[in-house]
Amino acid sequence: MTSAEDLEVRTAAGAVRGRAEGGLVVFRGIPFAAPPVGEARFQAPRPVEGWEGTREAYDFGPPPPQESGFQGRAAELPVPTGDDWLTVNV
């Protein structure tokens, strides 16, 4: 079994906490770049703003925007969207 200390790691932006699932330690929804809004739209990604404390990395981040015709059945599900979708799962 994994100890509590094994579930927390430090990234360049701040600490994240994952959880043990099926013999693995899983981290989800970790931001890797700043949201592409305003002048940053259609530009190279900018570094994510760091955070204080430990960020829980238990859930997937929001999906990138899609036109409803490309989502198929997923378009019927209530999925949070927005511009803060540059996340990674480990």
Side-chain angles (χ1 to χ4, degrees), residues 69-83:
F70 294 109
Q71 292 179 344
R73 180 148 169 78
E76 300 170 16
L77 303 173
V79 177
T81 60
D83 291 319

Side-chain angles (χ1 to χ4, degrees), residues 4-5 7 10-11 20 24 34 36 40 47 57 62 65 69 73 75 81-83 85:
E5 288 119 352
L7 299 177
R10 180 105 182 121
T11 72
L24 302 172
R73 180 148 169 78
T81 60
D83 291 319
W85 50 268

